[in-house]
Amino acid sequence: MLTTINTTFTDTRAGDLTWSLERGPLPALATLDLRLADNSVQLRVLGASHQVLLNGSRGGCAETVACLAGDNSPLPLGVSRRLGAYDYEFAAHVETLSAGSFAGRAQELLALVAEHPHGLAALFPGDPNAFTALLAQRQGGQVHWRTWHSYPQERRLVATRTRVVGALRAVETAGKSTPVGDRASSRCDVTFGS
């Protein structure tokens, strides 16, 4: 899903992004509610970047990557944590591109997310390459999401990748453990830096 946000782009520098699992839901400018097997996932575009809320029978988590007043801790390159019944893994990558490469990559990412049934992309006014995009998928007993944050004035893209293991309930079928729901399409698998 692609939407245009009628507000100013408030997180103006990639270096201002922070990460947290401690915040509750923040005011969202756009949301997409998904059901991935026995879990609900809400993708949220904030004026200051993104939030993903995961809730299931075994618990949940609220990931926030945003520029928030009073929080000046740097965005981590990687995090691995145990959250109740889940294993949570997060990775971030910042890429600086040439002007031509930046515009091409931004449009490629927007097209990928806008066409995907589990994708949410929000364009900010003032530049056709100013956006926040999120894409969720399920695979086996895992829920994954990817996000991209563009900073046209710096020609920087911040990409994040999150994996929550143990998020999908398994059911017994003829002696085999099989995840509930079908496997995610491989078109969700976008590599960093390509």
Side-chain angles (χ1 to χ4, degrees):
M1 180 173 90
L2 180 63
T3 186
T4 299
I5 302 298
N6 292 320
T7 188
T8 57
F9 193 56
T10 58
D11 55 340
T12 57
R13 291 185 49 238
D16 292 338
L17 284 173
T18 63
W19 166 90
S20 173
L21 290 175
E22 322 298 302
R23 298 187 182 273
L26 297 172
L29 301 173
T31 62
L32 179 63
D33 293 308
L34 302 170
R35 191 82 187 154
L36 300 178
D38 62 345
N39 294 276
S40 65
V41 176
Q42 186 177 65
L43 306 179
R44 301 166 60 85
V45 173
L46 311 176
S49 274
H50 90 259
Q51 219 175 23
V52 176
L53 306 178
L54 170 70
N55 290 297
S57 60
R58 301 177 68 197
C61 73
E63 175 187 280
T64 305
V65 173
C67 303
L68 300 171
D71 190 350
N72 55 1
S73 57
L75 182 68
L77 295 179
V79 175
S80 182
R81 287 207 180 149
R82 183 74 178 166
L83 298 175
Y86 301 134
D87 288 321
Y88 171 91
E89 296 174 6
F90 171 86
H93 176 76
V94 180
E95 188 175 12
T96 304
L97 301 164
S98 68
S101 295
F102 178 85
R105 181 74 172 138
Q107 293 306 305
E108 174 185 287
L109 290 169
L110 281 171
L112 170 81
V113 174
E115 294 173 8
H116 197 281
H118 295 163
L120 172 64
L123 294 170
F124 290 87
D127 190 309
N129 298 316
F131 68 89
T132 297
L134 302 93
L135 184 63
Q137 66 178 356
R138 63 181 178 232
Q139 187 173 18
Q142 304 173 9
V143 174
H144 299 255
W145 57 85
R146 304 285 306 265
T147 73
W148 297 271
H149 308 265
S150 75
Y151 298 88
Q153 69 283 9
E154 298 179 314
R155 294 187 321 273
R156 296 178 97 185
L157 286 171
V158 178
T160 74
R161 175 179 40 205
T162 301
R163 180 173 73 149
V164 181
V165 179
L168 298 182
R169 176 178 52 87
V171 294
E172 292 296 319
T173 308
K176 295 183 195 175
S177 181
T178 308
V180 174
D182 57 9
R183 294 191 181 270
S185 165
S186 62
R187 70 187 247 200
C188 294
D189 248 349
V190 178
T191 58
F192 288 124
S194 59

PDB file of all heavy atoms in Angstrom, residues 63 79-81 87-91 161-165:
ATOM      1  N   GLU A  63       8.475  -2.550  18.382  1.00  0.00           N
ATOM      2  CA  GLU A  63       9.752  -2.003  17.900  1.00  0.00           C
ATOM      3  C   GLU A  63       9.536  -0.587  17.405  1.00  0.00           C
ATOM      4  O   GLU A  63       8.652  -0.340  16.594  1.00  0.00           O
ATOM      5  CB  GLU A  63      10.288  -2.867  16.757  1.00  0.00           C
ATOM      6  CG  GLU A  63      11.551  -2.299  16.124  1.00  0.00           C
ATOM      7  CD  GLU A  63      11.970  -3.075  14.903  1.00  0.00           C
ATOM      8  OE1 GLU A  63      12.582  -4.153  15.065  1.00  0.00           O
ATOM      9  OE2 GLU A  63      11.654  -2.612  13.768  1.00  0.00           O
ATOM     10  N   VAL A  79      21.039  -6.118  17.328  1.00  0.00           N
ATOM     11  CA  VAL A  79      20.527  -6.417  18.660  1.00  0.00           C
ATOM     12  C   VAL A  79      19.976  -7.833  18.616  1.00  0.00           C
ATOM     13  O   VAL A  79      19.309  -8.215  17.652  1.00  0.00           O
ATOM     14  CB  VAL A  79      19.385  -5.452  19.076  1.00  0.00           C
ATOM     15  CG1 VAL A  79      18.792  -5.866  20.416  1.00  0.00           C
ATOM     16  CG2 VAL A  79      19.868  -4.019  19.121  1.00  0.00           C
ATOM     17  N   SER A  80      20.231  -8.605  19.666  1.00  0.00           N
ATOM     18  CA  SER A  80      19.646  -9.935  19.808  1.00  0.00           C
ATOM     19  C   SER A  80      19.182 -10.058  21.250  1.00  0.00           C
ATOM     20  O   SER A  80      19.971  -9.855  22.172  1.00  0.00           O
ATOM     21  CB  SER A  80      20.688 -11.007  19.482  1.00  0.00           C
ATOM     22  OG  SER A  80      20.123 -12.282  19.568  1.00  0.00           O
ATOM     23  N   ARG A  81      17.882 -10.371  21.434  1.00  0.00           N
ATOM     24  CA  ARG A  81      17.298 -10.435  22.782  1.00  0.00           C
ATOM     25  C   ARG A  81      16.286 -11.555  22.880  1.00  0.00           C
ATOM     26  O   ARG A  81      15.633 -11.909  21.906  1.00  0.00           O
ATOM     27  CB  ARG A  81      16.558  -9.137  23.108  1.00  0.00           C
ATOM     28  CG  ARG A  81      17.450  -7.996  23.380  1.00  0.00           C
ATOM     29  CD  ARG A  81      16.783  -7.007  24.281  1.00  0.00           C
ATOM     30  NE  ARG A  81      17.709  -5.922  24.520  1.00  0.00           N
ATOM     31  CZ  ARG A  81      17.353  -4.691  24.738  1.00  0.00           C
ATOM     32  NH1 ARG A  81      16.082  -4.366  24.742  1.00  0.00           N
ATOM     33  NH2 ARG A  81      18.252  -3.765  24.960  1.00  0.00           N
ATOM     34  N   ASP A  87      12.534 -15.069  20.407  1.00  0.00           N
ATOM     35  CA  ASP A  87      13.896 -14.596  20.180  1.00  0.00           C
ATOM     36  C   ASP A  87      13.782 -13.462  19.180  1.00  0.00           C
ATOM     37  O   ASP A  87      13.215 -13.639  18.090  1.00  0.00           O
ATOM     38  CB  ASP A  87      14.793 -15.700  19.617  1.00  0.00           C
ATOM     39  CG  ASP A  87      15.126 -16.752  20.652  1.00  0.00           C
ATOM     40  OD1 ASP A  87      15.356 -16.375  21.818  1.00  0.00           O
ATOM     41  OD2 ASP A  87      15.144 -17.944  20.298  1.00  0.00           O
ATOM     42  N   TYR A  88      14.306 -12.307  19.522  1.00  0.00           N
ATOM     43  CA  TYR A  88      14.198 -11.093  18.706  1.00  0.00           C
ATOM     44  C   TYR A  88      15.584 -10.731  18.182  1.00  0.00           C
ATOM     45  O   TYR A  88      16.546 -10.685  18.953  1.00  0.00           O
ATOM     46  CB  TYR A  88      13.644  -9.960  19.575  1.00  0.00           C
ATOM     47  CG  TYR A  88      13.671  -8.594  18.924  1.00  0.00           C
ATOM     48  CD1 TYR A  88      12.583  -8.128  18.197  1.00  0.00           C
ATOM     49  CD2 TYR A  88      14.788  -7.769  19.044  1.00  0.00           C
ATOM     50  CE1 TYR A  88      12.613  -6.882  17.599  1.00  0.00           C
ATOM     51  CE2 TYR A  88      14.822  -6.518  18.450  1.00  0.00           C
ATOM     52  CZ  TYR A  88      13.734  -6.082  17.732  1.00  0.00           C
ATOM     53  OH  TYR A  88      13.771  -4.843  17.133  1.00  0.00           O
ATOM     54  N   GLU A  89      15.684 -10.491  16.866  1.00  0.00           N
ATOM     55  CA  GLU A  89      16.942 -10.074  16.242  1.00  0.00           C
ATOM     56  C   GLU A  89      16.685  -8.869  15.356  1.00  0.00           C
ATOM     57  O   GLU A  89      15.741  -8.860  14.553  1.00  0.00           O
ATOM     58  CB  GLU A  89      17.530 -11.208  15.408  1.00  0.00           C
ATOM     59  CG  GLU A  89      17.919 -12.423  16.228  1.00  0.00           C
ATOM     60  CD  GLU A  89      18.357 -13.596  15.374  1.00  0.00           C
ATOM     61  OE1 GLU A  89      18.477 -13.441  14.127  1.00  0.00           O
ATOM     62  OE2 GLU A  89      18.569 -14.672  15.939  1.00  0.00           O
ATOM     63  N   PHE A  90      17.534  -7.861  15.487  1.00  0.00           N
ATOM     64  CA  PHE A  90      17.405  -6.611  14.742  1.00  0.00           C
ATOM     65  C   PHE A  90      18.760  -6.260  14.150  1.00  0.00           C
ATOM     66  O   PHE A  90      19.792  -6.433  14.785  1.00  0.00           O
ATOM     67  CB  PHE A  90      16.962  -5.493  15.701  1.00  0.00           C
ATOM     68  CG  PHE A  90      17.005  -4.106  15.107  1.00  0.00           C
ATOM     69  CD1 PHE A  90      15.932  -3.615  14.398  1.00  0.00           C
ATOM     70  CD2 PHE A  90      18.120  -3.292  15.274  1.00  0.00           C
ATOM     71  CE1 PHE A  90      15.962  -2.334  13.852  1.00  0.00           C
ATOM     72  CE2 PHE A  90      18.166  -2.020  14.739  1.00  0.00           C
ATOM     73  CZ  PHE A  90      17.082  -1.541  14.021  1.00  0.00           C
ATOM     74  N   ALA A  91      18.747  -5.754  12.915  1.00  0.00           N
ATOM     75  CA  ALA A  91      19.967  -5.264  12.269  1.00  0.00           C
ATOM     76  C   ALA A  91      19.635  -3.998  11.493  1.00  0.00           C
ATOM     77  O   ALA A  91      18.538  -3.867  10.942  1.00  0.00           O
ATOM     78  CB  ALA A  91      20.535  -6.318  11.323  1.00  0.00           C
ATOM     79  N   ARG A 161      16.267  -4.707   9.453  1.00  0.00           N
ATOM     80  CA  ARG A 161      15.771  -6.068   9.247  1.00  0.00           C
ATOM     81  C   ARG A 161      15.530  -6.653  10.631  1.00  0.00           C
ATOM     82  O   ARG A 161      16.424  -6.642  11.482  1.00  0.00           O
ATOM     83  CB  ARG A 161      16.821  -6.858   8.485  1.00  0.00           C
ATOM     84  CG  ARG A 161      16.523  -8.299   8.296  1.00  0.00           C
ATOM     85  CD  ARG A 161      17.600  -9.017   7.511  1.00  0.00           C
ATOM     86  NE  ARG A 161      18.931  -8.567   7.881  1.00  0.00           N
ATOM     87  CZ  ARG A 161      19.982  -8.640   7.074  1.00  0.00           C
ATOM     88  NH1 ARG A 161      19.853  -9.111   5.867  1.00  0.00           N
ATOM     89  NH2 ARG A 161      21.164  -8.247   7.490  1.00  0.00           N
ATOM     90  N   THR A 162      14.324  -7.170  10.868  1.00  0.00           N
ATOM     91  CA  THR A 162      13.968  -7.754  12.159  1.00  0.00           C
ATOM     92  C   THR A 162      13.432  -9.154  11.951  1.00  0.00           C
ATOM     93  O   THR A 162      12.675  -9.407  11.012  1.00  0.00           O
ATOM     94  CB  THR A 162      12.909  -6.891  12.872  1.00  0.00           C
ATOM     95  OG1 THR A 162      13.433  -5.584  13.063  1.00  0.00           O
ATOM     96  CG2 THR A 162      12.525  -7.487  14.218  1.00  0.00           C
ATOM     97  N   ARG A 163      13.811 -10.048  12.855  1.00  0.00           N
ATOM     98  CA  ARG A 163      13.312 -11.418  12.835  1.00  0.00           C
ATOM     99  C   ARG A 163      12.877 -11.773  14.247  1.00  0.00           C
ATOM    100  O   ARG A 163      13.623 -11.578  15.202  1.00  0.00           O
ATOM    101  CB  ARG A 163      14.400 -12.374  12.355  1.00  0.00           C
ATOM    102  CG  ARG A 163      13.960 -13.815  12.318  1.00  0.00           C
ATOM    103  CD  ARG A 163      15.011 -14.665  11.685  1.00  0.00           C
ATOM    104  NE  ARG A 163      16.141 -14.809  12.601  1.00  0.00           N
ATOM    105  CZ  ARG A 163      16.919 -15.878  12.648  1.00  0.00           C
ATOM    106  NH1 ARG A 163      16.726 -16.863  11.802  1.00  0.00           N
ATOM    107  NH2 ARG A 163      17.907 -15.950  13.498  1.00  0.00           N
ATOM    108  N   VAL A 164      11.641 -12.289  14.373  1.00  0.00           N
ATOM    109  CA  VAL A 164      11.125 -12.748  15.661  1.00  0.00           C
ATOM    110  C   VAL A 164      10.869 -14.244  15.521  1.00  0.00           C
ATOM    111  O   VAL A 164      10.010 -14.663  14.751  1.00  0.00           O
ATOM    112  CB  VAL A 164       9.843 -11.987  16.075  1.00  0.00           C
ATOM    113  CG1 VAL A 164       9.355 -12.482  17.427  1.00  0.00           C
ATOM    114  CG2 VAL A 164      10.107 -10.482  16.117  1.00  0.00           C
ATOM    115  N   VAL A 165      11.655 -15.032  16.244  1.00  0.00           N
ATOM    116  CA  VAL A 165      11.572 -16.492  16.164  1.00  0.00           C
ATOM    117  C   VAL A 165      10.655 -16.996  17.263  1.00  0.00           C
ATOM    118  O   VAL A 165      10.695 -16.510  18.384  1.00  0.00           O
ATOM    119  CB  VAL A 165      12.977 -17.120  16.313  1.00  0.00           C
ATOM    120  CG1 VAL A 165      12.902 -18.635  16.252  1.00  0.00           C
ATOM    121  CG2 VAL A 165      13.915 -16.576  15.244  1.00  0.00           C
TER     122      VAL A 165
END
